[in-house]
Amino acid sequence: MYSEGMSASDTSERLIESTRELLWERGYVGTSPKAILERAGAGQGSMYHHFKGKPDLALAAIRRTAEEMRATAAGVLDGPGTPYERIEAYLRRERDVLRGCPVGRLTMDPDVIASDELRAPVDETLDWLRERLAGIVEEGKERGQFASGLDGESIAATIVATVQGGYVLARASGSPTAFDVGVRGLLSLLAPRQDQDQDQD
Amino acid sequence: MYSEGMSASDTSERLIESTRELLWERGYVGTSPKAILERAGAGQGSMYHHFKGKPDLALAAIRRTAEEMRATAAGVLDGPGTPYERIEAYLRRERDVLRGCPVGRLTMDPDVIASDELRAPVDETLDWLRERLAGIVEEGKERGQFASGLDGESIAATIVATVQGGYVLARASGSPTAFDVGVRGLLSLLAPRQDQDQDQD
């Protein structure tokens, strides 16, 4: 179906989407230009017509994946509810846990980490997420929902790390349960407990 | 220096150690038999003399790395101190953070996850770690150091996830600081606070 009547922008689009899938499944090192072309149903010429090569195409793919992840997270973090509820919604949002994080997994890719250009969208996305969460924790402290001694930036890093590490535990065990258990543990530590609330009155 | 007077066990040993290094640096998918042979200074014949192929050699390498990680963790977790102090010592133990976890990083390797045999030592090691930590959390609950409402298994999963995710944050940002910040956040949530201790008296 792809072989007839394709416009140039269709081809560019399919190359990016195929690269996104392959980066998620096999990582940068494990994704050959040949595999991308096969999945996109495109010829080598069309790839070099639109992109300078694999790094350039991967950059477009990583940027788009990072934007999507940011939009999804913002949808939950900017949603209704108290700070704790929004953090809970973020931690419990539906995820394809066994596939891992399409952004975070790239940090285990030596060629992504070795390239400032490819690493930048990964770093910026996780950084944005930490800042956003830190703001919510600070908001929760102001409302008395979190203990005043907690540091927003540190808790935010713990939240993002629990999610990223949750993928590791889930994939190691072959089941999403381990992800959920780690999230439950973090939520039990963050939960405004009855006796703490009373202490603060 | 490797070309003369090598015994068979020297060669086998060098093949395993070279594979361990390459798996840590480049992952399973990114490690070719050729790269292993080059680093080990061994010929193709010697590899197939000792091992059935790359999966078999990788299994030996992963098992050894997993055993080492377990021994290092046990050294801290079985050490002196209260439950909180032992968990803190585990979280703060010296790590080559930017290299990532040699065991956990394998979970992002599609060919490791697709193989029950290669995944087993990864799963068993993280499982062992979670059980060991869960026991320490339960011990801390009995001593009144942790709130009685906490669940050992969940907290243990959160601790291991924070470490594994901490590597992701550090590698994304190109600095070990993000790892330390996430650990600090978790420790602040786990810390037996003054007012809680008083509540429990």
Side-chain angles (χ1 to χ4, degrees):
Chain A
M1 70 183 266
Y2 280 145
S3 54
E4 288 181 80
M6 291 188 315
S7 75
S9 70
D10 282 347
T11 308
S12 167
E13 185 60 25
R14 285 208 322 283
L15 284 166
I16 293 176
E17 288 301 316
S18 301
T19 304
R20 292 178 64 197
E21 288 171 18
L22 284 163
L23 287 178
W24 199 354
E25 289 166 25
R26 304 199 51 81
Y28 184 87
V29 169
T31 296
S32 65
K34 189 166 165 262
I36 295 170
L37 295 174
E38 276 177 15
R39 186 164 301 197
Q44 196 168 350
S46 70
M47 173 167 141
Y48 286 99
H49 175 72
H50 294 286
F51 301 97
K52 275 176 276 175
K54 177 179 153 184
D56 189 39
L57 177 49
L59 182 60
I62 294 172
R63 280 193 180 141
R64 189 179 294 180
T65 298
E67 272 163 33
E68 263 191 22
M69 181 176 142
R70 204 184 277 218
T72 307
V76 185
L77 295 174
D78 297 343
T82 66
Y84 175 82
E85 284 164 352
R86 278 179 282 151
I87 290 172
E88 183 178 20
Y90 168 70
L91 285 167
R92 291 201 195 274
R93 83 169 172 82
E94 207 177 326
R95 284 179 174 85
D96 202 349
V97 167
L98 288 179
R99 291 186 77 190
C101 175
V103 174
R105 72 101 66 227
L106 295 167
T107 61
M108 295 305 145
D109 231 308
D111 293 358
V112 171
I113 292 307
S115 156
D116 285 344
E117 209 176 9
L118 294 178
R119 185 169 60 79
V122 176
D123 186 27
E124 283 158 17
T125 305
L126 293 174
D127 222 47
W128 170 88
L129 187 55
R130 283 163 60 191
E131 275 180 37
R132 194 74 198 72
L133 283 164
I136 296 176
V137 173
E138 293 298 336
E139 195 188 323
K141 280 165 62 180
E142 280 163 30
R143 292 207 203 178
Q145 195 169 29
F146 297 128
S148 58
L150 295 182
D151 170 57
E153 268 188 48
S154 309
I155 302 299
T158 308
I159 293 168
V160 179
T162 300
V163 168
Q164 293 296 327
Y167 289 117
V168 171
L169 297 184
R171 283 173 66 92
S173 62
S175 153
T177 306
F179 182 99
D180 299 334
V181 174
V183 160
R184 198 189 312 143
L186 180 59
L187 285 170
S188 72
L189 292 171
L190 284 171
R193 281 177 304 157
Q194 215 51 43
D195 61 313
Q196 279 172 243
D197 289 341
Q198 283 163 4
D199 284 350
Q200 281 163 358
D201 286 340
Chain B
M1 73 183 266
Y2 280 145
S3 54
E4 288 182 80
M6 291 190 313
S7 73
S9 70
D10 282 347
T11 307
S12 166
E13 184 61 23
R14 282 207 325 282
L15 284 165
I16 293 176
E17 288 301 317
S18 301
T19 304
R20 292 179 64 197
E21 287 170 17
L22 284 163
L23 287 179
W24 198 355
E25 288 165 25
R26 301 197 55 81
Y28 184 86
V29 170
T31 296
S32 65
K34 188 166 164 264
I36 296 170
L37 295 174
E38 275 177 17
R39 187 164 300 197
Q44 196 168 350
S46 70
M47 173 167 141
Y48 287 99
H49 174 72
H50 294 287
F51 301 97
K52 274 176 276 175
K54 178 179 151 183
D56 189 41
L57 177 50
L59 182 60
I62 293 172
R63 281 192 180 141
R64 189 178 295 179
T65 297
E67 272 164 33
E68 262 190 20
M69 181 177 141
R70 202 184 279 219
T72 306
V76 185
L77 295 174
D78 299 341
T82 66
Y84 175 81
E85 284 165 353
R86 277 179 283 152
I87 290 171
E88 183 179 20
Y90 168 71
L91 285 166
R92 290 203 197 273
R93 82 169 173 80
E94 206 177 326
R95 284 178 175 85
D96 202 347
V97 166
L98 287 179
R99 291 185 77 188
C101 174
V103 174
R105 73 103 63 227
L106 295 167
T107 62
M108 294 306 145
D109 230 310
D111 293 358
V112 171
I113 292 306
S115 156
D116 285 344
E117 208 176 9
L118 292 179
R119 186 170 59 80
V122 176
D123 186 28
E124 284 159 16
T125 305
L126 293 174
D127 222 47
W128 171 86
L129 189 55
R130 284 163 60 192
E131 276 180 38
R132 194 74 198 72
L133 283 163
I136 296 175
V137 173
E138 293 298 336
E139 194 189 324
K141 281 165 63 181
E142 281 164 30
R143 291 206 203 179
Q145 195 168 31
F146 298 128
S148 58
L150 295 181
D151 171 57
E153 269 186 46
S154 309
I155 302 300
T158 309
I159 293 169
V160 178
T162 300
V163 168
Q164 293 296 327
Y167 289 117
V168 170
L169 297 184
R171 283 173 66 92
S173 62
S175 152
T177 305
F179 182 99
D180 298 334
V181 174
V183 160
R184 199 190 311 143
L186 179 59
L187 285 171
S188 71
L189 292 171
L190 284 171
R193 281 178 304 156
Q194 214 51 42
D195 60 313
Q196 280 173 243
D197 287 343
Q198 284 164 6
D199 285 350
Q200 281 162 0
D201 285 340

